[in-house]
Amino acid sequence: MMRSLYSAISGLSVNQQAMDVLGNNISNVNTVGYKSGRAVFEDMLSQTLVGSTAPSDTLGGTNSTQVGLGTSLAGVDTIFETGSMQSTSVNTDLAIQGDGFFVIKGAGSSDLLYTRAGDFRFDTSGSLVTSSGFYVQGWMVDPDTGELLTEGTTEDIVLSSAYQTAQAKVTSEASLAGVLDTDADPSIVSYPSLLHYADTGDSIFQVYSDDGANMDLADNESIKVKAHGTGMTEMGYIYNTSDVNLDLASDPQLLVYINSNPVTLEYGVDFNTMAELANALETQLNTAAGAADFSVAVVDGTINVTRNTVVGANVSIDSFSGSPLLAVAMSDLASVYDDAGDTKSSDEMYYESQIYAGRDFTTLTELASAIEEAIDGNVIPTDEFNVTYDSATGQFNYVIDNTLNSALGTLRLSGFSLDKAYSGTVFENNIVPAGAVIEAVYGTTDTELSNTFLRTAQDDDPLTELFTSSGDSLGLDATAILQFSAGVAGENLAGTATIPAATSTLDDLREAIAAYMGYDSATEDDVLQHIASLDKNSGKLQITGEKGSPNEIDFVKFEVVGSGTYDTFYDYYEYNTVQEAKGGTLTTSQTIYDAQGNAHTVQYNFEMSDSLDNVWKLTVSTPDDGAEISFNETTGNQVYMHFNANGSFNYLTTESGQRIASLSMNYDTGGGAGVVSDIEMDLGTAGKFDGIYISSDDSGITKAAQDGYATGLLESTLFNSNGEIIGYYTNGQVATIAQIATATFTNPGGLTKVGDTTFQKSSNSGDPAIGRPGTGFRGKVAAETLENSNVDLSTEFVNMITTQRGFQANSRVITTSDEMLQELMSLKR
């Protein structure tokens, strides 16, 4: 009976202890990093009433009969299940995601404690401590070397004065990356068009008159080749002064009234040529006079009637009728011829032949042939009229060569002109001078010249044979020497370009200018980039500079040394800037630092130097007073950047063309900080686009970097997932200051709770494995986060109910046992 009492008493005791565990769990339901406990029961020693027996041949085995003596508390387990994570706005709140403990220790103690509660803060001394004042352990960065000393033992994390300031760093490396815009315009200067004598093969549509006017001929325009009719001219091709054909084929009879008597002269019967008409009329007049008093001749396209003597009777020409146009042309001959010397002339009559521009002729030589063919054999006997074009003088030569037939006497060409169909007289006035008369007695020649025909100047034209656009000779004689000077990019070019006019062509001048301005090269195509071919530029000398405003042509100037005055040359040869240079530049700046942390400005100026060869000039300067800057390998402040055809960077050279293996820069502060020397400059890798490159994109710097900085003060700290404390300084530097330590145990359940939500190692927990978070099964650190208690209230309340029922049941065992004892005592009574 007493056994049940003692068993129940043990049951009351252990359930009371279990309730203590539950109460502690519930009281720490909001404790950061708290790990809940669990009470574990075990039964006590049992009393054996009957021992067990082994089976025999006759009986089976029997079990022992035992009565238990109650229960006891086997232990209280700590549940290390991770609690839920709660975000906070405190940057020193930490939580471990996974296994491990923060390592801490008390002031003046060498014993380490361990906790999951990461509600840390910095105290006034800069130490990272727990809410209870324990020092958080970890490793500090060596302030001199920047090395994190994780190989040694842990220490207090203290942001001492050594970490409050980031020491200034002198700049040792600098780099630039960006694009230089090649879409730039060069400056272009242009001189007025020059002219030269036209060539025999030049098109009539592309030549100019002697005053520089365009020939006003249209394609397929008709041109009448005209001259006074001569004795040999067929009357069927005769035109009156109104350019109307006499049309004798339709009405061939001319009726002449002489002394009131009608005389009929018929075309094709009595006459065919002008000379035959004159002879027929002369015969009729002498017949009427009864004597050879009259002579009738063809003079400059007219029929001239002259009474030479008065031997016979008086004669009068009363009128003309019949063929109307011929009668009108002859009407001025009507008169009384009664005195010697009486003379009358008919209207002028012309031979005309029509040719077409672009159809019968195009070139000047073809035009000469067309004119000759029209006149030859119709006005002048065959082969005795020649028309040629002389390219040496730019003139048409109209020649009567009267050396073939002595019977013809004097040959005369008058009234000669070319009359174009459409309006305008430039061509007409230039091709045949007004009033031109060509006359040659037998055995001689006579020549009449047209005005000068000109074309735009070409590269191979001599300098002494040039004309202005107004047709005036440029005036360069054999003694003239041309001198050319210019200014580019604010500097006058050294010396002058000199070339003698007597032995030079325009092409020689082009090459001399190109060489003088630095534009010459091995091929004509390269020269054409800068000094245009006059062949292709309408006779204009045009100079195109390098692209970009840094290559602006400031001025150009011609001078002439010689025996002449050369006024025409000076008046005419003034250039006009037809395009201003633009683009081709980029200016940027960069800040570097000296040993004292003082900031200095470096200005970079990129200028397009040679667009053809993809060369840019880089100039460095500084606006700082008293400071000087230079490139180490050049002893100056300029280098030249050479780029590949695809725009990628290629190499660097000095101004003299020497290649630079590696570029560095010196900056003399002019003050106590001394010289910032050997700053390694990185402008790009050859063949790549990782630095400065050229393109048609807009210019701009995409990246400018250097490794120096000024002195900075610690502004804020943050923790990363590795538990590192990252310091942010006012100079923009970011540095690792320290790293917190975490520890794991072989048996974390063996740790001893020592209050303040901390644990202490025990003989059964094993030694701590201390290391960096995220290594060796240690979890990573979450900043601005706390781990909540892992107490589950619902589980605790259920356990509380079962514990209460256990306690009640054990108390019932005691009261029941007591009643049984009372019944036993009552038997005695």
Side-chain angles (χ1 to χ4, degrees):
M1 187 65 66
M2 294 299 294
R3 285 192 298 267
S4 63
L5 285 172
Y6 287 110
S7 295
I9 290 172
S10 68
L12 289 175
S13 177
V14 296
N15 278 286
Q16 178 60 52
Q17 292 172 334
M19 186 60 70
D20 293 339
V21 174
L22 292 173
N24 185 56
N25 287 342
I26 293 173
S27 67
N28 286 285
V29 69
N30 290 319
T31 300
V32 174
Y34 175 78
K35 300 304 175 185
S36 61
R38 180 184 64 182
V40 180
F41 298 164
E42 64 180 0
D43 63 347
M44 297 178 65
L45 182 65
S46 298
Q47 181 180 358
T48 301
L49 301 178
V50 178
S52 60
T53 62
S56 65
D57 291 338
T58 59
L59 290 173
T62 61
N63 294 327
S64 61
T65 301
Q66 294 179 300
V67 177
L69 300 180
T71 185
S72 65
L73 185 64
V76 178
D77 295 338
T78 301
I79 307 303
F80 283 97
E81 180 184 359
T82 302
S84 62
M85 299 294 174
Q86 176 185 352
S87 295
T88 70
S89 59
V90 181
N91 62 1
T92 55
D93 284 345
L94 305 178
I96 298 175
Q97 295 177 310
D99 296 335
F101 298 85
F102 296 112
V103 183
I104 60 177
K105 74 174 183 177
S109 174
S110 60
D111 293 333
L112 298 179
L113 301 178
Y114 309 94
T115 184
R116 294 280 295 189
D119 50 336
F120 305 144
R121 67 181 184 277
F122 289 104
D123 64 12
T124 57
S125 66
S127 299
L128 186 64
V129 297
T130 69
S131 57
S132 299
F134 294 105
Y135 293 101
V136 180
Q137 300 297 291
W139 302 276
M140 300 302 296
V141 167
D142 187 324
D144 295 326
T145 65
E147 180 184 2
L148 185 64
L149 306 175
T150 58
E151 300 301 325
T153 58
T154 59
E155 58 182 318
D156 296 347
I157 294 178
V158 183
L159 301 187
S160 64
S161 59
Y163 302 97
Q164 297 299 318
T165 302
Q167 183 181 352
K169 181 179 184 297
V170 63
T171 298
S172 62
E173 296 178 358
S175 64
L176 291 175
V179 58
L180 302 176
D181 184 7
T182 58
D183 188 15
D185 291 336
S187 53
I188 301 176
V189 298
S190 181
Y191 292 88
S193 293
L194 290 171
L195 301 176
H196 183 267
Y197 299 125
D199 296 324
T200 56
D202 286 339
S203 169
I204 190 63
F205 304 116
Q206 296 175 345
V207 295
Y208 302 85
S209 68
D210 64 344
D211 59 2
N214 286 308
M215 287 300 168
D216 50 357
L217 275 180
D219 190 21
N220 209 37
E221 183 177 4
S222 65
I223 300 171
K224 295 173 184 175
V225 182
K226 300 172 60 176
H228 285 147
T230 62
M232 66 176 295
T233 304
E234 247 286 340
M235 289 296 297
Y237 296 101
I238 290 296
Y239 291 73
N240 63 20
T241 55
S242 298
D243 289 331
V244 178
N245 187 268
L246 300 183
D247 195 21
L248 294 179
S250 299
D251 197 346
Q253 291 184 341
L254 176 66
L255 187 61
V256 185
Y257 286 88
I258 301 175
N259 293 336
S260 301
N261 296 314
V263 177
T264 299
L265 300 177
E266 185 173 349
Y267 170 63
V269 176
D270 300 302
F271 65 91
N272 285 295
T273 66
M274 286 192 73
E276 290 173 346
L277 173 61
N279 291 336
L281 181 58
E282 180 181 320
T283 298
Q284 295 298 325
L285 291 175
N286 284 331
T287 299
D293 288 347
F294 285 88
S295 64
V296 180
V298 179
V299 180
D300 293 340
T302 64
I303 303 294
N304 277 11
V305 176
T306 302
R307 185 156 189 172
N308 299 310
T309 60
V310 188
V311 176
N314 291 337
V315 177
S316 67
I317 300 177
D318 302 317
S319 64
F320 292 88
S321 62
S323 181
L325 295 178
L326 180 57
V328 170
M330 300 286 284
S331 61
D332 285 348
L333 295 177
S335 181
V336 175
Y337 297 87
D338 55 2
D339 289 327
D342 287 343
T343 300
K344 293 292 181 180
S345 299
S346 70
D347 287 346
E348 293 176 282
M349 287 178 277
Y350 291 87
Y351 166 80
E352 294 186 10
S353 178
Q354 198 157 243
I355 58 178
Y356 291 86
R359 187 197 306 176
D360 296 320
F361 68 91
T362 298
T363 66
L364 298 182
T365 295
E366 292 171 347
L367 174 58
S369 297
I371 296 171
E372 179 180 326
E373 185 177 349
I375 300 298
D376 197 26
N378 295 307
V379 180
I380 300 297
T382 302
D383 297 332
E384 297 203 22
F385 181 69
N386 299 305
V387 182
T388 58
Y389 177 77
D390 186 359
S391 59
T393 62
Q395 293 174 301
F396 284 88
N397 293 346
Y398 304 108
V399 180
I400 292 180
D401 183 7
N402 192 2
T403 61
L404 301 179
N405 192 340
S406 60
L408 294 178
T410 299
L411 299 180
R412 179 181 174 88
L413 178 66
S414 62
F416 181 40
S417 67
L418 269 69
D419 186 6
K420 59 194 288 294
Y422 305 149
S423 62
T425 60
V426 174
F427 171 75
E428 295 172 348
N429 294 340
N430 213 64
I431 190 72
V432 179
V437 176
I438 312 170
E439 185 175 40
V441 299
Y442 176 69
T444 66
T445 61
D446 189 23
T447 301
E448 182 70 32
L449 301 176
S450 72
N451 292 335
T452 305
F453 280 74
L454 304 171
R455 56 153 171 80
T456 55
Q458 297 177 359
D459 295 339
D460 57 357
D461 291 338
L463 296 181
T464 55
E465 297 179 6
L466 297 176
F467 298 83
T468 70
S469 58
S470 299
D472 299 322
S473 173
L474 198 58
L476 296 177
D477 57 22
T479 68
I481 298 177
L482 270 67
Q483 294 180 340
F484 179 84
S485 59
V488 178
E491 295 182 4
N492 293 350
L493 300 182
T496 57
T498 302
I499 185 170
T503 57
S504 302
T505 64
L506 282 169
D507 201 41
D508 296 329
L509 178 62
R510 288 176 61 241
E511 292 180 358
I513 294 173
Y516 172 65
M517 300 193 73
Y519 300 149
D520 61 325
S521 67
T523 66
E524 167 66 8
D525 288 341
D526 292 338
V527 173
L528 282 174
Q529 299 288 331
H530 298 287
I531 313 295
S533 167
L534 278 80
D535 294 1
K536 302 174 183 178
N537 200 37
S538 300
K540 293 181 180 179
L541 177 62
Q542 182 170 288
I543 304 172
T544 301
E546 292 282 2
K547 289 183 178 180
S549 54
N551 306 302
E552 177 82 46
I553 297 177
D554 301 319
F555 73 88
V556 288
K557 184 179 180 181
F558 273 111
E559 293 188 41
V560 186
V561 177
S563 60
T565 59
Y566 312 112
D567 290 339
T568 301
F569 179 90
Y570 282 118
D571 291 343
Y572 183 75
Y573 235 62
E574 293 291 335
Y575 71 88
N576 177 40
T577 301
V578 297
Q579 178 172 285
E580 300 286 349
K582 72 176 184 66
T585 63
L586 174 63
T587 300
T588 189
S589 62
Q590 185 178 45
T591 300
I592 64 171
Y593 297 88
D594 61 28
Q596 297 177 1
N598 298 313
H600 303 277
T601 300
V602 176
Q603 290 182 337
Y604 302 93
N605 185 42
F606 296 89
E607 298 179 355
M608 184 182 290
S609 175
D610 186 343
S611 60
L612 191 63
D613 291 329
N614 300 321
V615 180
W616 287 64
K617 180 174 68 175
L618 169 60
T619 304
V620 289
S621 60
T622 178
D624 299 346
D625 293 337
E628 295 182 357
I629 190 170
S630 65
F631 290 115
N632 287 17
E633 294 195 29
T634 68
T635 66
N637 66 338
Q638 293 181 346
V639 293
Y640 288 82
M641 302 186 68
H642 299 253
F643 297 91
N644 295 309
N646 65 355
S648 62
F649 174 68
N650 193 1
Y651 60 90
L652 296 168
T653 64
T654 63
E655 189 171 4
S656 62
Q658 181 180 358
R659 287 211 181 195
I660 299 174
S662 60
L663 186 65
S664 58
M665 184 170 61
N666 277 355
Y667 187 98
D668 187 347
T669 64
V675 178
V676 183
S677 59
D678 298 328
I679 302 174
E680 295 182 7
M681 295 293 301
D682 182 8
L683 300 177
T685 307
K688 296 185 178 180
F689 295 84
D690 57 354
I692 301 296
Y693 64 94
I694 59 175
S695 172
S696 60
D697 296 335
D698 292 338
S699 291
I701 294 297
T702 58
K703 180 182 179 183
Q706 58 85 39
D707 62 350
Y709 46 83
T711 301
L713 300 177
L714 183 62
E715 189 173 30
S716 62
T717 58
L718 290 177
F719 289 82
N720 62 20
S721 62
N722 293 325
E724 294 174 336
I725 302 177
I726 309 299
Y728 292 84
Y729 294 86
T730 54
N731 61 359
Q733 295 304 302
V734 178
T736 300
I737 297 175
Q739 185 175 35
I740 64 171
T742 56
T744 57
F745 294 88
T746 305
N747 176 27
L751 293 171
T752 302
K753 293 181 178 181
V754 292
D756 296 316
T757 322
T758 62
F759 298 90
Q760 191 176 53
K761 77 170 184 175
S762 69
S763 58
N764 194 42
S765 65
D767 291 330
I770 300 175
R772 292 175 295 168
T775 64
F777 302 105
R778 288 174 284 271
K780 288 186 174 294
V781 172
E784 297 188 3
T785 303
L786 290 177
E787 181 183 358
N788 290 325
S789 169
N790 67 351
V791 173
D792 184 355
L793 283 179
S794 61
T795 300
E796 299 302 319
F797 285 146
V798 170
N799 290 338
M800 188 184 301
I801 293 171
T802 58
T803 301
Q804 179 188 8
R805 294 305 181 193
F807 187 89
Q808 285 179 334
N810 279 283
S811 65
R812 289 292 184 268
V813 171
I814 293 174
T815 57
T816 301
S817 296
D818 179 55
E819 291 175 355
M820 290 176 66
L821 287 173
Q822 287 179 5
E823 285 296 327
L824 180 62
M825 293 298 292
S826 66
L827 289 178
K828 180 179 179 183
R829 290 193 296 269

